[in-house]
Amino acid sequence: MKQTTLCYIERDGAYLMLHRVKKENDASHDKWIGVGGKCEKDESPDECMLREVREETGLEITNWKYRGIVTFISDIWPCEYMHLFTATKWEGEMIDKNACDEGVLEWIDKKSLYDLTLWPGDRIFLRLLEEASRPFFSLKLVYRGDDLVQAKLDNVEMKL
């Protein structure tokens, strides 16, 4: 089972987004996502998130929330548990937006997020992140190719 993290770093009503355009054979090629990556051996989800954010942005996150777990099921890719975080405080200076080896970093106003090329399931959990009263959640997303065919929020089927 693949374990990954994804963090949405927030500043002035915008999220730091990564436009995935630099790696070959990237399942998320040309998509916009938060910052994160694969958990290493013996690494907790928060340790992974902190390391990945540091490696991809140069920032040291100092205030974060563990918001949910997303289970990805695909007919193409291995099953994945993605640990989802938001962050509002950090130290250090961000690297040049083109220096990340995963893609290009951009601050994107939250109102403009849905104009970007996103995975269909990302649209669901980005909305969940904006619900101030939303507790920790479990979201299951089932894909056939790039098409989202099923979503369950806290084990309740969602209408797509």
Side-chain angles (χ1 to χ4, degrees):
M1 181 72 57
K2 183 174 164 184
Q3 302 264 348
T4 63
T5 62
L6 194 64
C7 184
Y8 287 92
I9 303 168
E10 185 176 0
R11 178 187 78 184
D12 300 326
Y15 281 138
L16 183 60
M17 299 291 287
L18 179 61
H19 190 198
R20 304 277 303 212
V21 293
K22 293 189 178 178
K23 283 190 166 183
E24 290 185 36
N25 303 316
D26 182 355
S28 294
H29 183 75
D30 205 31
K31 302 270 193 308
W32 291 81
I33 64 171
V35 179
K38 294 182 198 98
C39 293
E40 295 180 352
K41 184 180 183 308
D42 299 329
E43 194 173 48
S44 70
D46 52 340
E47 290 169 333
C48 174
M49 178 274 295
L50 293 169
R51 176 185 51 76
E52 286 285 348
V53 167
R54 183 176 53 255
E55 289 174 2
E56 293 180 3
T57 70
L59 302 175
E60 294 283 344
I61 299 297
T62 58
N63 185 11
W64 69 91
K65 289 184 183 175
Y66 188 7
R67 303 294 303 276
I69 187 159
V70 181
T71 303
F72 291 100
I73 307 294
S74 168
D75 61 343
I76 299 171
W77 307 101
C79 181
E80 174 182 340
Y81 290 149
M82 183 187 73
H83 305 272
L84 188 59
F85 296 86
T86 53
T88 55
K89 293 184 181 167
W90 57 88
E91 295 176 349
E93 294 294 319
M94 193 168 91
I95 62 172
D96 180 88
K97 70 178 197 168
N98 294 305
C100 176
D101 62 3
E102 306 280 335
V104 178
L105 295 163
E106 293 282 348
W107 289 100
I108 305 290
D109 188 283
K110 290 181 189 179
K111 296 178 189 106
S112 301
L113 286 176
Y114 302 98
D115 298 333
L116 302 175
T117 304
L118 303 170
W119 283 103
D122 291 20
R123 295 174 182 278
I124 295 171
F125 63 70
L126 282 165
R127 285 188 187 97
L128 294 171
L129 293 178
E130 289 308 303
E131 294 178 19
S133 64
R134 170 65 61 187
F136 185 91
F137 60 86
S138 175
L139 180 64
K140 179 181 179 184
L141 302 171
V142 180
Y143 283 90
R144 297 290 171 256
D146 286 352
D147 297 323
L148 183 64
V149 296
Q150 182 187 44
K152 283 186 175 183
L153 177 59
D154 296 327
N155 205 37
V156 176
E157 191 83 26
M158 299 178 76
K159 185 175 178 158
L160 298 180

